[in-house]
Amino acid sequence: MTNYFRILIAAGVLCTACSAGEKPAAPAAKPATTDSAAQTAAPATAAATASGATHYQQAANGGSLTFTFMQADAVNKGSFGKFLTDMTYDEKNLAGSRLTVTVQIGSLTTQDKDRDDSIKSADLLDAAKFPTARYTATSLARNAGGAIEAVGKLQLHGVTRDLRVPLQIRSTASGIEISGQTSIKRLDYGVGQGDLKSTEWVGDEVKLQFKVPLSRTG
């Protein structure tokens, strides 16, 4: 009988030990379930945030993109005939809005062929080597005065720099219209080689003006 009870006690201790060894495994499954749920919810949240945004593209009638600069103490004005604007905009979620403008450098004109050729040459914009300029804003924001600005980067002449661009946005029958103006310094982008690095004849500041209708794509 003594041996019988010893066997029963030993079996009971062994079962208890096994049960105790299995208990830590059960809580370990909970964090995995929680993490999985969070990962699934994240894309859903992002989708919900972006759901109010509308996509727009430059309307068929084009709009205008002009620039102004000083040459020999005289104001000169030019424009780009070919550029494409793409925008995703949600007035309730400016941080989730986007803006991209791609400009064909070779399409510029100042109504003077010799001057156009000079601006497109390797001494200035070097349109052959750098055929496009691109502005990419990954968000919009309100400045200290409450006005909307695009927060992005301008890639020009192989150089990329931060640039905030003020935007006026108004609704139209087919979408929206964006307009505004800003300025850059050409030497910040390496535009001006040789004697043209000097600002004596060609000014450093270039003012940009734009007014572009955008059509709703969906």
Side-chain angles (χ1 to χ4, degrees):
M1 292 295 291
T2 302
N3 290 337
Y4 176 75
F5 282 116
R6 285 177 179 173
I7 292 171
L8 289 178
I9 292 170
V13 171
L14 180 62
C15 290
T16 303
C18 290
S19 299
E22 292 172 356
K23 286 180 180 179
K30 291 182 179 179
T33 302
T34 303
D35 291 344
S36 177
Q39 291 172 0
T40 302
T45 302
T49 301
S51 63
T54 303
H55 182 245
Y56 301 90
Q57 283 189 334
Q58 191 169 333
N61 55 358
S64 64
L65 175 59
T66 63
F67 58 95
T68 306
F69 62 100
M70 296 294 294
Q71 181 184 15
D73 296 326
V75 177
N76 289 274
K77 188 173 182 178
S79 63
F80 292 97
K82 295 181 181 179
F83 63 98
L84 180 64
T85 307
D86 188 279
M87 187 174 187
T88 300
Y89 176 58
D90 181 357
E91 62 180 347
K92 295 181 180 179
N93 181 21
L94 296 180
S97 300
R98 305 285 185 268
L99 173 65
T100 303
V101 183
T102 304
V103 183
Q104 301 299 319
I105 297 298
S107 71
L108 73 81
T109 179
T110 64
Q111 307 303 317
D112 183 306
K113 186 179 184 306
D114 290 340
R115 183 167 53 212
D116 293 351
D117 290 345
S118 178
I119 295 174
K120 297 175 189 178
S121 74
D123 289 335
L124 286 169
L125 287 175
D126 200 352
K129 185 176 182 180
F130 305 106
T132 61
R134 179 173 289 108
Y135 179 70
T136 305
T138 55
S139 67
L140 305 183
R142 293 193 180 276
N143 61 22
I148 294 177
E149 292 182 328
V151 183
K153 297 178 182 293
L154 174 62
Q155 183 182 46
L156 173 66
H157 198 254
V159 177
T160 301
R161 286 182 170 271
D162 292 336
L163 182 64
R164 295 177 73 104
V165 178
L167 289 179
Q168 293 182 0
I169 305 173
R170 74 175 186 88
S171 297
T172 64
S174 59
I176 58 175
E177 178 187 82
I178 60 173
S179 60
Q181 61 181 0
T182 189
S183 63
I184 62 173
K185 293 186 175 182
R186 64 178 178 87
L187 294 178
D188 285 348
Y189 295 87
V191 176
Q193 302 299 313
D195 292 342
L196 289 175
K197 283 186 176 180
S198 170
T199 58
E200 181 179 359
W201 294 104
V202 179
D204 190 15
E205 184 181 34
V206 179
K207 296 180 180 179
L208 303 169
Q209 305 87 24
F210 58 93
K211 186 176 184 179
V212 186
L214 304 174
S215 296
R216 192 180 299 107
T217 61

